[in-house]
Amino acid sequence: EHVPPYPRPGFWGDKACALDPTCEGGDEFFSCKPPAFCEGGPDFACKDGHKGRMCAQAEEGYFVVGGQFWVECGKQGELMNILGILGVIVVWMGINSVAAGHYDALDIALLYVQITGMVSSYGMRWHKNVDAVNTVLSIANFDVDFVAPMCIGKWTPVHGFYTQLLLPFIYSCGHVIIHFSKNIPAMLGLSKGPRLSFAKIARDAEATVVNHGMSFCIIVFHTLCLKCFMVFRCQEFPDGNSYMVFAPEVQCWDATHKGMVAVSALYIP
């Protein structure tokens, strides 16, 4: 009986194509990034918790941390996922407060941490200890996919892409809401201090948003650039179609991809 070729550990292959005698790319395999995602073998298996093209998707019941670690939701999965997201948000708020405070030494340190964290986004074969450190440092890159809410609901790289591009606007709106919430008692004359007019509160809110918003945009600028340019990276697979590298389940130049390309083209200038 003829046994079709199959991938070695660390490689991914299209099983359907390999079993189809009419498919010309059945013996073509692709290196997984990182290699541990793909177990290969006659079953074309992915590591536990992984599925899909290049084994890059998380199976139902798992969430991803730092794009490297697959964590099983379990009985307390939703709570763990929510606490992880809240923890990341708290860290982000602390980082942005430091950046907005004009501390030169801390700004340089933050830049170093961000660059170090960015390195982990490249598919290089790091030692597992170095990989763990890079993953922790990448939290400073303000990537919304650092802890994806997969135990709460459906989340894909496409959701992450649009949320990432909207993040500066979400952050600015949050600051406006917080600012007005703090000053509502003063506006209604319910506080011990002087009564503030709506116009005064609005001017102060504008100054706060400009200060914190601009510092936030500077912090997330490189991540926004990465997200936008990654949309244009496609890879051809044995079935003859091309798929996005960072979202292997999205076929290039279908309606979803065209929408992402159009949005990226607006952001890049």
Side-chain angles (χ1 to χ4, degrees):
E1 183 180 354
H2 174 67
V3 178
Y6 55 83
R8 294 182 299 174
F11 288 82
W12 180 88
D14 189 333
K15 186 175 182 179
C17 184
L19 297 176
D20 184 358
T22 63
C23 184
E24 297 181 356
D27 58 351
E28 188 175 359
F29 305 110
F30 301 85
S31 177
C32 295
K33 298 178 181 179
F37 284 8
C38 303
E39 295 183 348
D43 294 329
F44 292 68
C46 295
K47 186 179 179 180
D48 288 345
H50 296 250
K51 69 175 184 178
R53 192 170 287 105
M54 302 298 288
C55 300
Q57 284 185 297
E59 288 186 340
E60 187 175 350
Y62 285 82
F63 69 96
V64 184
V65 177
Q68 299 290 328
F69 303 102
W70 264 237
V71 182
E72 192 170 1
C73 291
K75 295 181 180 179
Q76 303 297 325
E78 291 186 6
L79 178 60
M80 289 175 57
N81 208 185
I82 292 171
L83 291 177
I85 294 170
L86 292 177
V88 169
I89 292 174
V90 169
V91 172
W92 285 355
M93 292 176 64
I95 292 174
N96 191 61
S97 297
V98 170
H102 306 292
Y103 304 109
D104 292 340
L106 292 177
D107 286 345
I108 294 173
L110 174 60
L111 181 61
Y112 172 79
V113 170
Q114 286 188 318
I115 293 174
T116 305
M118 282 179 61
V119 171
S120 65
S121 65
Y122 295 92
M124 302 177 68
R125 298 191 178 188
W126 304 101
H127 186 277
K128 62 180 181 179
N129 294 335
V130 176
D131 200 31
V133 172
N134 285 340
T135 300
V136 172
L137 294 178
S138 66
I139 192 175
N141 289 327
F142 286 74
D143 191 333
V144 297
D145 287 319
F146 186 83
V147 178
M150 295 176 175
C151 295
I152 304 171
K154 184 179 180 181
W155 183 268
T156 67
V158 177
H159 295 125
F161 168 78
Y162 286 110
T163 304
Q164 188 74 55
L165 297 190
L166 288 173
L167 194 59
F169 301 101
I170 295 172
Y171 179 84
S172 298
C173 290
H175 255 288
V176 170
I177 293 172
I178 293 172
H179 182 80
F180 273 94
S181 298
K182 288 181 178 179
N183 288 280
I184 283 177
M187 186 172 64
L188 299 177
L190 301 177
S191 63
K192 296 181 179 180
R195 186 166 185 167
L196 300 177
S197 66
F198 178 83
K200 167 65 175 172
I201 296 174
R203 286 195 299 270
D204 292 344
E206 181 181 4
T208 300
V209 168
V210 169
N211 183 26
H212 288 272
M214 290 302 295
S215 66
F216 186 78
C217 287
I218 292 172
I219 291 174
V220 301
F221 176 76
H222 67 282
T223 302
L224 294 177
C225 289
L226 282 175
K227 290 285 186 181
C228 288
F229 284 111
M230 285 168 66
V231 168
F232 296 92
R233 293 187 61 199
C234 294
Q235 183 176 9
E236 187 175 354
F237 284 87
D239 62 2
N241 296 316
S242 295
Y243 298 86
M244 295 175 63
V245 173
F246 91 97
E249 298 306 313
V250 178
Q251 185 174 338
C252 289
W253 304 114
D254 68 356
T256 300
H257 184 235
K258 287 180 180 177
M260 297 171 73
V261 168
V263 172
S264 295
L266 293 175
Y267 264 75
I268 288 174

